[in-house]
Amino acid sequence: MKPTSSAEIREAFLDFFAQRGHLVVPSSSLVPEGDPTLLFTGAGMVQFKPYFSGEVEPPSTRLASVQKCFRTTDIDKVGNERSLTFFEMLGNFSIGDYFKRGAIELAWEFVTESLELAEDSLWASIFHDDEEAFILWQEIALPATRIVRHGKEDNFWGPAGDTGPCGPCSEIFYDRGPDVGCGQEDCAPGCDCERFLEVWNLVFMEYDQDSEGGLTALPRQNIDTGMGLERTAVAIQNVGSVYETDLFAPIVAKAGDLVQRSYGDNDVADRSLRIIAEHARAVTFLVADGVLPSNEGRGYVLRRILRRAVRHGKVLGREEPFLEEITRAVIGLMGEQYPELSDRQDFILGVLAQEEKGFQYTLGVGSALLEDLLADISYSGKAQIPGEEVFRLYDTYGFPVELTREMAAEKGLELDEEGFAKAMVEQRERARKAQAFGLARESEFYRPLELPPTDFLGHERVETTTEVIDLATDDRVVDEVVEGEQVAVVLKETPFYAEAGGQVGDTGKLSDAGGEIAVSDTQSPLPGLIVHYGNVGRGSLHVGDVVVAKVDVDRRLDIARNHTATHLLHKALREILGEHAQQSGSEVAPERLRFDFTHLQALSDDELHLIERRVNARIRDNLPVVTRVTDYQTAIASGAFAIFGEKYGERVRMVSTGDYTRELCGGTHLQATGQIGVFHILNEGSIGRGLRRIEALTGRGAEDYVHRSLLLLDGIASKLGGSTAEVEVNLSALLSDMESLRKEILELRRRLGRIEMSRVLEEVREVDGMKVLAAEVEASSMETLREMIDWLRDRLGSAVIVLGAVMDGKPGFVAAVTPDLVDKGLKADRLIREVAAVVGGGGGGRATLAQAGGKHPERINEALSLVPDLVTGR
């Protein structure tokens, strides 16, 4: 039966390939796991990269999935009828199994028999010199007249990132008919019109691209395909665009209801409705996968598209928050296919509501800043807003460039588009460089060596006798290392834990009769490979030497205490705050633990105390810590908690603390919770919107903290002249005395200020019939200067007043212009900028009141002497 709905298309696709020997794999997170070259998961093959490169053995040579994808390349294009940021990619994959013929045969069978697309409406494109694909298409399905050749830009698929598997590709197009598109007789796939709809891309993955762009043959030929669900739905449902399919129509309709517009009535409004619907859908999935608004990386992208949606709601006249209602429509539409949306609904709604509310404020602040900027530029006689100022509004304040452009046009001004574009390019380059984190460089060093996987023994032992199989120093492989050298060592097997899952790497020693290496860190630059980094403390070591590898046991136990405690903490957070409070990052070190989790509000003292008590109760219960290696499905069925977005293999390690908590975890742990000793929360705070962090101590670290705290308390008690029991009473008395003295000092300063003001009044001058006062005074703060201004303004009535003072070694100024003189063209903000420039500073404010600072206190009188001339030259 022909599928018609998007849900039926998904189901038909997976059933088709499952029946043909493909293992159906669930969608991975939009946040790529363990790949520093990618910002988001942008293709179905991302989670399979280690299989294609040969680093990891796949669970099956045939795989299929429906993958959530997000791409940033088309953000600014979203609004037309074709471009999307978030989409679903249906894909089948072959790792060294079938190749071109098999991929083409399967694709043709599915589109013509399962989807029942008319054969005479289908075309194919191929890489221009791929003669094999050209012949295969003719043998299997199409006449040569419906096979087109394209160049590398269209039909050669690059790696998912800077490096990785790639190869030529062949695309399947659906002809929507001559009534759609440009109407030219020679119209064919590749034309920019809407007639030919690309529905499936078959990538013949046979090369590996290095960081220089060079290609080498992969150890086996692979297939990576991607069928866009949204575009396929357009063809199946015979509609004009993706926004009219069942994947979008309800969301567009909800957006239309909220802004009181009907889709299809107005081209300009339709574009805004498409942007709102698309971006609302995208941010819903991003937040569900743990991305939170921020000013960098993934969070910056989320914030950008969310604000773009809000901006277009404002364009359509919507002043009140509205994203929550659209998000509910998204979750209602897609929550069954992607249960993480429903499971985290309250959290998603909370994050987006906070961000939207914050941006409403940003729009207000940005508008005020832009108004000041436009006024200054108009006053200076310039016709263009500098690109760096446009970018500052956009980047620092989140103010949309479209709104800047619109408000500038109302004033007859233009934007420096070239300067803005340059600033954007520089920002993207900074962001790109910031993405290269982790052990990417080390990975490139070790990958060509093709070393065997390291046998990790650290769950069972902390010491073993093993063989050195590789040595490196100064980024080169060597046979021998000698005393004083910084080295990297690969062993045949090791008890050293390599940093992973938030747990830091082990330290310890590698030694034999001839030499010793102090290991300062352990990492895993490639899946399965463990590298020990350290310094040769004595003698020398060679490849092939048999050494004793011994982990620093005390440090390992400190780490294990903190790691087991994070499992108890995670469970306590979910019990007390709600199931949405899930781990989003951690660092387990010997000194302390850091645990990041999703939650919208700061935790109260009572909540923190309750969480701490809950964890310590489980410690006193001395629950057994039991580990078990099993398959993923069995672990989940037994109630094990899997961190959302984390990538797990078919075999997983399950860590249980009695019946209290059960998590999938590869780290090192204790034998019983009682070994933790005690758990103490140091602090809790925000690290981003919707993201909180707890730092805590256990064991020896907590013991040292308590000891230091008691010593400090004893010292304070001694200085206050009493016992530790009397500290609170004695401190309260001291603070009360200090507050009385502070008020007395403040009153004395005010009296002295009034005396000073009586003197300053004698310096008032008349300039062009106006009272002008510019004087240096004694003041301790800008607040004091403003109080002086208020006192003088009350006594002078109509006047221009500029006061300056040296505070903490730096000059400061406050200027005031009474409203009647503002009407004559005098403005305090312009005046203060001219004065501050003399002392190497700047400032701003309103027309009636402004303030500024500077760098050169010795020039304060020179700056004040300019005031009469500035008033005259208004």
Side-chain angles (χ1 to χ4, degrees), residues 334-351:
M334 307 191 75
E336 184 175 350
Q337 174 67 23
Y338 297 102
E340 63 268 22
L341 300 182
S342 301
D343 293 344
R344 308 195 75 193
Q345 175 170 310
D346 290 344
F347 180 73
I348 295 167
L349 295 175
V351 170

Side-chain angles (χ1 to χ4, degrees), residues 643-851:
I643 297 174
F644 186 76
E646 191 83 9
K647 187 175 182 180
Y648 298 100
E650 283 300 302
R651 303 292 291 175
V652 295
R653 192 165 182 270
M654 183 171 61
V655 179
S656 302
T657 54
D659 292 327
Y660 183 60
T661 180
R662 188 170 293 157
E663 289 194 22
L664 303 186
C665 178
T668 59
H669 287 272
L670 303 169
Q671 294 180 331
T673 60
Q675 292 178 276
I676 297 172
V678 67
F679 171 82
H680 176 72
I681 294 176
L682 285 175
N683 53 68
E684 184 274 341
S686 171
I687 56 171
R689 188 159 291 171
L691 194 60
R692 312 293 300 179
R693 172 173 292 171
I694 282 178
E695 291 186 304
L697 301 172
T698 66
R700 295 192 300 175
E703 180 184 328
D704 290 343
Y705 177 79
V706 171
H707 177 67
R708 291 194 307 271
S709 298
L710 290 175
L711 283 177
L712 179 62
L713 183 61
D714 287 341
I716 292 171
S718 177
K719 290 177 181 178
L720 290 173
S723 67
T724 55
E726 298 170 316
V727 164
E728 187 173 2
V729 173
N730 290 341
L731 183 59
S732 295
L734 178 61
L735 291 174
S736 179
D737 289 344
M738 289 178 63
E739 177 62 18
S740 297
L741 289 171
R742 189 190 69 82
K743 290 178 180 178
E744 186 177 338
I745 291 169
L746 183 60
E747 179 58 31
L748 288 172
R749 283 179 175 173
R750 284 173 177 163
R751 290 179 185 178
L752 288 172
R754 285 194 284 271
I755 295 170
E756 175 79 351
M757 289 303 92
S758 297
R759 177 192 64 78
V760 169
L761 280 173
E762 297 174 2
E763 300 184 34
V764 176
R765 297 174 53 184
E766 187 171 306
V767 178
D768 287 353
M770 296 175 287
K771 295 174 188 175
V772 176
L773 173 58
E776 181 181 4
V777 296
E778 294 287 335
S780 58
S781 66
M782 297 298 287
E783 181 182 0
T784 304
L785 273 182
R786 288 192 295 271
E787 288 179 358
M788 291 179 173
I789 285 280
D790 291 341
W791 190 88
L792 289 167
R793 193 162 41 189
D794 289 343
R795 281 149 183 80
L796 291 175
S798 174
V800 175
I801 308 168
V802 182
L803 299 182
V806 178
M807 297 167 288
D808 295 327
K810 294 182 179 180
F813 302 93
V814 174
V817 178
T818 52
D820 60 312
L821 299 184
V822 170
D823 293 340
K824 293 183 179 182
L826 285 169
K827 292 190 177 182
D829 51 347
R830 293 180 188 166
L831 191 62
I832 204 75
R833 280 194 283 269
E834 297 282 354
V835 171
V838 177
V839 294
R846 305 189 304 275
T848 55
L849 185 68
Q851 66 183 49

Side-chain angles (χ1 to χ4, degrees), residues 270-569:
D270 285 353
R271 178 175 181 273
S272 290
L273 287 173
R274 288 192 290 266
I275 289 170
I276 293 169
E278 200 284 336
H279 287 350
R281 192 174 81 137
V283 298
T284 301
F285 275 90
L286 287 173
V287 175
D289 278 8
V291 181
L292 296 171
S294 71
N295 287 327
E296 59 184 13
R298 299 179 181 104
Y300 179 83
V301 175
L302 168 62
R303 174 165 285 170
R304 179 183 172 191
I305 62 173
L306 184 148
R307 291 181 168 187
R308 193 165 185 251
V310 173
R311 152 72 179 145
H312 279 273
K314 193 174 182 70
V315 166
L316 296 179
R318 179 78 182 192
E319 297 294 336
E320 297 299 315
F322 63 93
L323 277 184
E324 181 176 344
E325 290 302 314
I326 301 179
T327 301
R328 289 183 187 276
V330 173
I331 295 172
L333 185 65
M334 307 191 75
E336 184 175 350
Q337 174 67 23
Y338 297 102
E340 63 268 22
L341 300 182
S342 301
D343 293 344
R344 308 195 75 193
Q345 175 170 310
D346 290 344
F347 180 73
I348 295 167
L349 295 175
V351 170
L352 298 185
Q354 277 192 1
E355 182 68 12
E356 183 175 10
K357 182 179 179 181
F359 184 51
Q360 295 286 358
Y361 171 77
T362 295
L363 279 174
V365 172
S367 296
L369 291 169
L370 182 56
E371 288 286 1
D372 287 344
L373 178 62
L374 294 173
D376 287 344
I377 292 173
S378 297
Y379 180 75
S380 67
K382 297 177 181 177
Q384 193 177 64
I385 304 178
E388 60 270 20
E389 290 293 336
V390 178
F391 181 74
R392 183 176 68 88
L393 283 168
Y394 174 77
D395 189 54
T396 305
Y397 299 100
F399 199 72
V401 67
E402 298 97 332
L403 189 53
T404 302
R405 189 178 288 114
E406 180 182 322
M407 292 176 67
E410 292 171 358
K411 302 286 187 181
L413 301 175
E414 297 180 346
L415 307 192
D416 172 15
E417 302 282 359
E418 185 176 335
F420 175 72
K422 180 182 178 183
M424 284 290 289
V425 169
E426 291 171 352
Q427 192 274 344
R428 286 179 184 139
E429 180 62 19
R430 289 192 297 270
R432 186 192 67 79
K433 290 179 178 177
Q435 281 180 243
F437 58 93
L439 293 169
R441 186 180 64 81
E442 293 291 310
S443 300
E444 291 302 313
F445 175 78
Y446 281 102
R447 185 173 284 109
L449 301 182
E450 297 184 349
L451 297 170
T454 311
D455 188 8
F456 176 61
L457 311 175
H459 288 310
E460 295 80 29
R461 64 184 78 168
V462 292
E463 181 177 342
T464 193
T465 301
T466 182
E467 178 186 350
V468 176
I469 64 171
D470 185 78
L471 292 168
T473 184
D474 295 329
D475 289 333
R476 58 189 178 88
V477 175
V478 295
D479 292 325
E480 178 188 28
V481 293
V482 298
E483 188 171 328
E485 287 187 311
Q486 295 291 323
V487 300
V489 185
V490 178
L491 304 174
K492 184 177 181 181
E493 56 267 316
T494 182
F496 284 73
Y497 182 83
E499 180 174 331
Q503 179 176 327
V504 299
D506 277 334
T507 63
K509 291 181 180 180
L510 310 177
S511 61
D512 67 2
E516 181 178 278
I517 294 175
V519 177
S520 58
D521 192 18
T522 308
Q523 297 283 345
S524 179
L526 293 174
L529 181 69
I530 297 176
V531 181
H532 311 74
Y533 299 88
N535 180 72
V536 183
R538 65 171 175 83
S540 62
L541 286 174
H542 306 78
V543 172
D545 283 353
V546 175
V547 297
V548 174
K550 186 175 182 180
V551 172
D552 182 335
V553 177
D554 288 339
R555 182 176 181 274
R556 164 74 79 83
L557 283 172
D558 286 338
I559 294 169
R561 290 184 185 99
N562 283 328
H563 201 157
T564 302
T566 64
H567 286 218
L568 300 180
L569 173 61

Side-chain angles (χ1 to χ4, degrees), residues 853-872:
K855 303 175 183 176
H856 306 296
E858 70 278 2
R859 301 186 66 184
I860 193 169
N861 282 314
E862 179 186 347
L864 291 167
S865 68
L866 292 179
V867 173
D869 291 338
L870 293 172
V871 171
T872 303

